[in-house]
Amino acid sequence: MKRVVVIGAGAAGTMAAIFAASSGAETRLLERTNDGGRKILISGGGRCNILPAVVHESRFVTDSSPHTLRKMLRSWPLSEQIAFFKDEAGIPLMEEGESAKLFPQSERARDVRDRLLALARARGVVIETGALVTGLVPAGNGWQIERRGGSSLQADAVVVATGGLSFPGTGSDGLGLRIVKTLGHTINRTYPALTPLTTTVRRKPGTTGGAPFAALLGISLPVTLTARAGTLESTSTGGFLFTHHGYSGPAVLDVSHVAVRSRAEMDAPARLVVRWTSLNDKDWESAFGSRGSRTVLNAVAAQLPRRLADALIEFAGIDLCRTLSQLTRDERLRLIDILVRTELPWSGDEGYGKAEVTGGGVCLSEIDPKTMESKIHRGLFLCGEMLDAFGPIGGYNFLWAWATGRAAGLGASRT
Ligand code: FDA
């Protein structure tokens, strides 16, 4: 019987262990924390956005080959994943409104974590918690796995599913990345992704230099946001939230990697441009077209939260009491430009401490996309967030973890 050791009882590792054991391998799952699956527990605000309802593969980000990424992703199609959760894990799913996000019907992330670990045990996986793996050494045709404070283990195949660097309190602090680097793998530059952006500067609306929107704390609305820096560009339509420190919400998180990378890797910071509503220039021209005695504020507030409407009109340098008929052409064009293309000031990001995922990671070209086996070492399998790939908010990152975890578990059991 094949002996498989899986390192890390997160989303990818637990799935790898389930499939390795289901294929007949003697499987041991080593987890450094005293429970495992901590990111599952805090995901989706405690409800776990377990999968997307529809997958747009082009929304994944990698510095490796997007073609290889797609092959890995397609190894376990969405429909089969949904069926697995319902039929095998006992976790029926539901779509939240028309959000294209799937959640467990119970809306409890804990159920997802607990049922996956229970399924692993039921399939014969031995789960060892409080087991910190410190090193991997090729030994004969297999591997020697070094544990802190314990004897080393032998295995025919080892699956590394130790995550990246985001939310280190959950157990993923980059140790696994360091271990595979010492084994010769290339780690493409890592960076926090899906992280809130900050703005520390303060200024009065309409003046130059600083944060014109500091007073808007708590306002949330759907927007379209684009971040551009050099050849990097990302656009997202979704929720936007003014926070104490700056901006958050799905649209901000989705494009944040461009901002983060511009600070770390480029000469100039990314430009963030927001369109506050679904209206374009022409639509706003018609909205303002009736002129008459309606105030500019009422016309803008018909489409936006009033406090934001106030701030944007002031930002355009227009008196809030002006009526539409009093607006000059220049003022109208300036206001429309702001409503459709406000350049958001920002100064930083909240880093790995608040990042939902890690960008960058193990270069995909060094992994066989069918089995997730390392092309550098036989019997070494890698999966999940530690790889150079991440997707947007909406269940994409679990989709990646489940698909690559399953493929790695199956691959390891067949070594
Ligand atoms: P993950 O980091 O989950 O697991 C790695 C495991 O390995 C951990 O249990 C860790 O303790 C263990 N480990 C690390 N080093 C070890 C060592 N040396 N020895 C032993 N064990 C070790 N995605 C999504 O699709 N929908 C969502 O709703 C959310 N929501 C969300 C919210 C928040 C706050 C965060 C931080 C993240 C999300 N995500 C998400 C992202 C998602 O949680 C993430 O992509 C996956 O959990 C990654 O799974 P992995 O198993 O690869 O790593």
Side-chain angles (χ1 to χ4, degrees):
M1 199 189 244
K2 286 271 173 316
R3 287 166 309 164
V4 172
V5 165
V6 179
I7 308 169
T14 306
M15 198 57 86
I18 289 170
F19 277 89
S22 305
S23 309
E26 183 188 306
T27 309
R28 187 173 278 268
L29 177 56
L30 304 182
E31 166 58 40
R32 75 191 297 179
T33 66
N34 58 16
D35 48 3
R38 292 188 177 183
K39 270 193 194 149
I40 299 177
L41 287 183
I42 56 173
S43 66
R47 296 191 305 138
C48 184
N49 176 195
I50 194 166
L51 284 169
V54 187
V55 181
H56 299 285
E57 291 172 341
S58 61
R59 298 193 68 197
F60 277 90
V61 177
T62 182
D63 282 343
S64 305
S65 153
H67 180 62
T68 307
L69 185 157
R70 281 195 294 274
K71 276 195 190 160
M72 292 172 172
L73 205 56
R74 288 176 191 174
S75 67
W76 202 17
L78 177 63
S79 58
E80 291 179 21
Q81 295 201 25
I82 294 170
F84 165 85
F85 281 107
K86 178 167 161 282
D87 302 332
E88 296 191 49
I91 309 171
L93 309 183
M94 56 148 199
E95 184 174 349
E96 180 190 58
E98 289 178 9
S99 65
K101 294 178 179 172
L102 298 180
F103 291 84
Q105 277 179 12
S106 68
E107 299 196 62
R108 282 166 47 103
R110 182 168 290 277
D111 290 349
V112 177
R113 198 275 304 261
D114 291 352
R115 286 194 192 164
L116 287 177
L117 287 174
L119 180 61
R121 284 195 187 91
R123 299 270 167 107
V125 177
V126 173
I127 303 174
E128 207 179 304
T129 55
L132 175 70
V133 172
T134 52
L136 292 174
V137 185
N141 282 334
W143 289 89
Q144 181 172 308
I145 297 114
E146 311 287 353
R147 289 176 295 177
R148 190 177 62 188
S151 55
S152 59
L153 285 173
Q154 308 294 321
D156 300 305
V158 58
V159 178
V160 186
T162 48
L165 291 141
S166 64
F167 263 72
T170 61
S172 54
D173 63 357
L175 177 54
L177 283 169
R178 291 196 293 281
I179 291 175
V180 298
K181 190 172 179 195
T182 61
L183 290 170
H185 273 285
T186 309
I187 311 297
N188 286 346
R189 187 198 277 259
T190 51
Y191 52 90
L194 306 186
T195 193
L197 297 178
T198 58
T199 171
T200 49
V201 274
R202 298 272 179 269
R203 70 162 159 157
K204 283 188 132 192
T207 61
T208 52
F213 309 121
L216 300 177
L217 173 68
I219 289 182
S220 71
L221 72 164
V223 305
T224 296
L225 182 63
T226 299
R228 273 190 209 98
T231 55
L232 297 179
E233 177 168 333
S234 179
T235 293
S236 178
T237 297
F240 178 104
L241 172 68
F242 289 95
T243 67
H244 274 292
H245 305 294
Y247 319 111
S248 190
V252 174
L253 301 184
D254 279 350
V255 307
S256 62
H257 60 283
V258 173
V260 169
R261 296 190 76 175
S262 72
R263 289 176 75 215
E265 302 168 27
M266 298 175 188
D267 297 334
R271 289 185 65 217
L272 295 186
V273 177
V274 61
R275 194 175 78 189
W276 295 105
T277 68
S278 58
L279 306 189
N280 60 23
D281 299 62
K282 253 180 144 178
D283 300 326
W284 277 114
E285 278 288 0
S286 0
F288 294 151
S290 58
R291 311 286 152 87
S293 59
R294 193 178 189 200
T295 61
V296 179
L297 177 58
N298 280 343
V300 176
Q303 305 291 340
L304 285 172
R306 198 169 187 92
R307 272 201 291 148
L308 177 59
D310 272 5
L312 294 176
I313 294 166
E314 285 195 6
F315 189 47
I318 296 168
D319 187 329
L320 289 173
C321 304
R322 296 283 283 281
T323 62
L324 289 173
S325 58
Q326 289 168 332
L327 271 190
T328 66
R329 182 173 178 278
D330 277 359
E331 286 172 332
R332 195 174 71 249
L333 291 180
R334 198 162 68 235
L335 179 56
I336 291 176
D337 198 46
I338 284 170
L339 291 165
V340 179
R341 284 171 291 276
T342 300
E343 182 154 349
L344 275 185
W346 66 282
S347 56
D349 61 81
E350 300 217 24
Y352 285 118
K354 289 274 177 72
E356 291 204 3
V357 287
T358 306
V362 180
C363 181
L364 300 185
S365 65
E366 295 173 354
I367 316 258
D368 178 335
K370 279 205 194 84
T371 60
M372 303 309 289
E373 186 169 18
S374 159
K375 291 182 183 170
I376 296 175
H377 288 280
R378 223 184 135 260
L380 175 67
F381 296 78
L382 308 176
C383 56
E385 187 176 325
M386 70 180 318
L387 303 175
D388 177 15
F390 72 91
I393 293 289
Y396 280 72
N397 290 297
F398 281 138
L399 177 83
W400 174 254
W402 310 134
T404 57
R406 170 184 172 272
L410 290 174
S413 70
R414 291 168 189 157
T415 321

